[in-house]
Amino acid sequence: MVQAAKELIRQHGYNATAFADVLARSGASRGSVYFHFPGGKTQLVVEAAEAHAFEQVEIIDRVAAEATSAVQLIERYVDLGRDGMIASEYGRGCGVAPLITEGATQDSAEISETGRRAFSQMTDRLAFHFVALGVERAAARVLAEAVLAGIEGAMVTSRALRSPTPWESVRTVLAGHAAGVSAKRSKRPQD
Amino acid sequence: MVQAAKELIRQHGYNATAFADVLARSGASRGSVYFHFPGGKTQLVVEAAEAHAFEQVEIIDRVAAEATSAVQLIERYVDLGRDGMIASEYGRGCGVAPLITEGATQDSAEISETGRRAFSQMTDRLAFHFVALGVERAAARVLAEAVLAGIEGAMVTSRALRSPTPWESVRTVLAGHAAGVSAKRSKRPQD
């Protein structure tokens, strides 16, 4: 059910995702919903957003494990985003962003905290790996925030334009910056 | 009414923006709505998104008129986005993005075309000014797409985190890249 809710939120956003659609998609019975989600739609949405953030952190970890530089981590992570967008035929975006843009965070402190935590976790994880790959701490933070914003933005503009080019452009700019801050570091081995 | 609809979409998204709320906010009578918007909510939303894109193009033109470099254009445009986000107390985002993330573009060819055109216009305008400010055509296109994605993304992550730092990070990375592609150009005056 959480997976079904996440998928529907990615396709249609928060308000258009109804309990009934989640039931239909997951094949769960109405009774089981109220048993597993006594907190109603808020709980279902919170768990779906948490699942999305958890998956993204796992993907970041997997990509980082295979990357030998911050540039490589960025290029592969952006490419996965682009490939997912193309595979969905420009039909789905982020599993967290709709909670923010539809103001659900204004209505519920729990959803607000979930949105904040989801983006914090992804930023922290990216920054952690950038540091491990040789980027200085402050620069790693800047890079991580820019990567997340670039990807969130490409998920909107690429979907609207039905074109992969925003992903390519975001990758070029982010990887170029990462190369610069990595070079700066390696030029000062005495640090 | 178009302004009221745009404001509500920026705050609450597409599905949560009801005709009744637009009426209440704009003070228009129910009769005048059906007179001015015979196409119903679709027409209202399309005009609101067009108005948002038109305003953004005007802002880009105004900032570009005062900028002496691509770096300056980017820094000021990103700062305006950040200032607007802070002024709204992290309460409003883009006037076009919700149409995309809520899948309204899947339901209506007219809304889909409006979303595509809105982001195309903003990208084209940014690229046009970057070229005028000395960036090569292909690099200007890449930079424009990355600026738009970065800003769209910062509107989501900054709002979720209730923090201006994603704007600062996006600005650092974009301005750094712009400085690089501008320098490349000015180093080759024979081009």
Side-chain angles (χ1 to χ4, degrees):
Chain A
M1 287 222 29
V2 169
Q3 287 299 315
K6 181 170 68 67
E7 188 58 32
L8 287 168
I9 290 169
R10 294 187 69 179
Q11 288 175 25
H12 310 293
Y14 166 71
N15 280 305
T17 295
F19 243 65
D21 300 328
V22 177
L23 281 174
R25 198 183 172 97
S26 66
S29 73
R30 184 159 285 273
S32 73
V33 178
Y34 294 107
F35 180 75
H36 291 295
F37 298 94
K41 186 176 170 182
T42 296
Q43 189 189 349
L44 181 59
V45 161
V46 160
E47 292 193 19
E50 281 172 353
H52 182 81
F54 184 79
E55 274 173 31
Q56 289 303 309
V57 165
E58 278 193 325
I59 292 171
I60 291 166
D61 285 349
R62 204 171 65 231
V63 173
E66 291 166 6
T68 56
S69 67
V71 171
Q72 233 175 53
L73 167 48
I74 289 171
E75 288 181 342
R76 297 209 181 144
Y77 188 46
V78 172
D79 283 352
L80 284 176
R82 179 201 58 194
D83 295 349
M85 180 57 73
I86 294 171
S88 78
E89 295 180 346
Y90 302 95
R92 63 180 212 180
C94 177
V96 182
L99 310 190
I100 316 300
T101 56
E102 296 179 48
T105 50
Q106 255 87 41
D107 306 334
S108 154
E110 204 182 339
I111 292 180
S112 173
E113 177 55 20
T114 301
R116 192 197 61 70
R117 204 165 43 221
F119 288 124
S120 293
Q121 285 167 346
M122 288 186 253
T123 309
D124 291 349
R125 204 64 170 192
L126 283 166
F128 168 83
H129 288 299
F130 290 145
V131 169
L133 289 164
V135 180
E136 287 179 84
R137 199 163 294 274
R141 191 92 214 147
V142 167
L143 191 55
E145 289 192 343
V147 167
L148 198 61
I151 285 179
E152 285 296 324
M155 265 192 280
V156 174
T157 59
S158 150
R159 192 174 172 188
L161 298 166
R162 300 185 67 83
S163 157
T165 66
W167 295 95
E168 324 278 357
S169 297
V170 160
R171 187 184 55 184
T172 298
V173 170
L174 291 169
H177 184 81
V181 293
S182 303
K184 206 178 275 179
R185 172 76 176 225
S186 56
K187 270 185 206 148
R188 293 187 295 169
Q190 72 276 24
D191 278 2
Chain B
M1 285 221 31
V2 169
Q3 286 300 314
K6 181 169 69 67
E7 189 57 32
L8 287 168
I9 290 169
R10 294 187 69 179
Q11 288 175 26
H12 310 293
Y14 166 71
N15 280 304
T17 294
F19 242 63
D21 299 329
V22 176
L23 280 175
R25 199 184 172 94
S26 66
S29 73
R30 184 159 286 275
S32 73
V33 178
Y34 295 107
F35 180 75
H36 291 295
F37 299 95
K41 186 175 171 181
T42 297
Q43 189 189 348
L44 182 59
V45 160
V46 160
E47 292 193 18
E50 281 172 353
H52 182 79
F54 184 80
E55 274 172 28
Q56 289 302 310
V57 165
E58 278 193 325
I59 292 171
I60 290 166
D61 285 350
R62 202 171 65 231
V63 173
E66 291 167 4
T68 57
S69 67
V71 171
Q72 234 176 52
L73 166 48
I74 289 170
E75 288 181 340
R76 296 206 183 147
Y77 188 46
V78 172
D79 283 353
L80 284 177
R82 179 202 57 194
D83 295 348
M85 180 58 73
I86 294 171
S88 77
E89 295 181 345
Y90 302 96
R92 63 180 212 180
C94 178
V96 182
L99 310 190
I100 316 301
T101 57
E102 295 179 47
T105 50
Q106 255 87 42
D107 306 334
S108 153
E110 205 183 338
I111 292 181
S112 173
E113 177 55 19
T114 301
R116 192 198 61 70
R117 204 165 44 220
F119 288 124
S120 293
Q121 284 166 346
M122 289 186 254
T123 309
D124 291 349
R125 205 64 171 191
L126 282 166
F128 167 83
H129 287 298
F130 290 145
V131 168
L133 289 165
V135 180
E136 287 179 84
R137 199 163 294 274
R141 190 93 214 143
V142 167
L143 191 55
E145 289 191 344
V147 167
L148 198 61
I151 284 178
E152 285 296 324
M155 265 193 281
V156 174
T157 60
S158 151
R159 192 174 172 188
L161 299 166
R162 300 184 68 83
S163 158
T165 66
W167 295 96
E168 324 278 355
S169 297
V170 160
R171 187 184 56 185
T172 298
V173 170
L174 292 169
H177 184 81
V181 293
S182 303
K184 207 179 272 177
R185 173 77 177 226
S186 55
K187 271 184 205 146
R188 293 189 293 171
Q190 72 276 22
D191 277 4

